[in-house]
Amino acid sequence: GVIRYVVLLITLLGTWFIMQTYFHHSWKAISLRSWLGEKQLRHKCGNQKSCPQNHFAFKIISGAANVVGPSICFEDLILMSSVKNNIGRGLNIALVNGTTGQLLKTDAFDMYSGDISKLETFLQGIEHGTLVLIASYDDPATKMNDKVRAHFVSLGSSQVSSLGFRDNWVFLGAKGLKNKSPFEKHIKNDQETNKYDGWPELLEMEGCAPRKMD
């Protein structure tokens, strides 16, 4: 009888150890609301916070190397992604009405072997008050010239001047913006810091863009 109780005790201790070792983090992740059957609050585009009134929620994710494509979400709608089959190597750009939030146009521009004049024409045609959302993929800058960089500067970019071969870049600006945009991230292609072989890690940026009121 004593042996039986000792074996039972050892079994219980072993089970407890396995649960603690392999399932500790999973148990911690289950909140009280989950136990009560309540749904977790979800914000637009899966962002960490909700946006105040008269602001648009967005999330922009650059590509990962030349394997995983970028995505652009605006007001909980995916505007560009691999699933939608409307992305490409280079710069992926979505234009949105800054007042209504309506999608106006999306396009992708090959910045390695494409015709840069097509991007220049596209940028020239952007109307005042339009929000411009950009996600890079693979290489955003081989074909970049001073004219195109100047267009992006006029949209509020402060980092496009240093954009180089295989860098990653995400940006949200607007035509007619008087100041520099606060929504921009840029990471250089550097062999010493690259996460992937020949490419830096992907960039992710989320936030709340103010609605154009006038």
Side-chain angles (χ1 to χ4, degrees):
V2 174
I3 296 176
R4 183 180 303 171
Y5 284 119
V6 171
V7 172
L8 179 60
L9 179 60
I10 294 175
T11 302
L12 291 174
L13 288 173
T15 303
W16 176 84
F17 177 77
I18 293 173
M19 292 291 289
Q20 286 291 325
T21 303
Y22 295 99
F23 299 102
H24 179 65
H25 295 294
S26 298
W27 284 112
K28 285 181 66 177
I30 299 176
S31 66
L32 179 60
R33 288 185 176 180
S34 298
W35 281 107
L36 297 176
E38 296 181 16
K39 292 183 178 180
Q40 295 287 348
L41 181 63
R42 181 189 179 279
H43 304 298
K44 292 179 179 179
C45 292
N47 291 353
Q48 295 182 4
K49 298 180 180 179
S50 62
C51 290
Q53 188 177 7
N54 293 323
H55 284 69
F56 298 116
F58 73 89
K59 178 179 285 186
I60 305 174
I61 304 175
S62 72
N66 62 345
V67 179
V68 180
S71 68
I72 298 177
C73 177
F74 188 84
E75 281 294 280
D76 222 22
L77 294 175
I78 300 298
L79 305 184
M80 303 186 75
S81 71
S82 299
V83 175
K84 293 183 72 68
N85 196 31
N86 62 349
I87 61 169
R89 176 176 67 178
L91 296 179
N92 297 268
I93 306 178
L95 304 182
V96 176
N97 186 298
T99 301
T100 65
Q102 179 184 2
L103 176 63
L104 301 175
K105 191 175 185 180
T106 64
D107 211 337
F109 300 90
D110 188 339
M111 299 299 291
Y112 184 77
S113 59
D115 184 357
I116 192 63
S117 64
K118 292 182 179 179
L119 175 57
E120 186 176 351
T121 300
F122 179 88
L123 295 174
Q124 287 176 341
I126 299 176
E127 297 183 358
H128 186 85
T130 301
L131 294 175
V132 183
L133 296 84
I134 302 175
S136 68
Y137 181 30
D138 188 359
D139 174 36
T142 295
K143 289 284 187 173
M144 189 79 71
N145 58 34
D146 291 340
K147 284 187 177 181
V148 170
R149 292 183 195 273
H151 279 296
F152 288 125
V153 170
S154 70
L155 296 172
S157 174
S158 58
Q159 301 182 38
V160 68
S161 59
S162 59
L163 193 64
F165 174 66
R166 286 187 176 178
D167 289 359
N168 265 341
W169 183 45
V170 290
F171 171 69
L172 185 150
K175 186 64 175 287
L177 194 64
K178 297 180 181 179
N179 302 311
K180 296 301 181 182
S181 171
F183 305 119
E184 184 172 24
K185 288 186 178 182
H186 172 216
I187 184 170
K188 296 293 293 182
N189 168 24
D190 187 328
Q191 290 184 353
E192 295 184 359
T193 59
N194 283 346
K195 183 174 182 179
Y196 309 108
D197 184 17
W199 288 269
E201 63 181 325
L202 64 80
L203 289 174
E204 182 173 331
M205 179 175 65
E206 64 181 55
C208 303
R211 185 190 302 268
K212 184 178 183 299
M213 303 301 291
D214 53 2

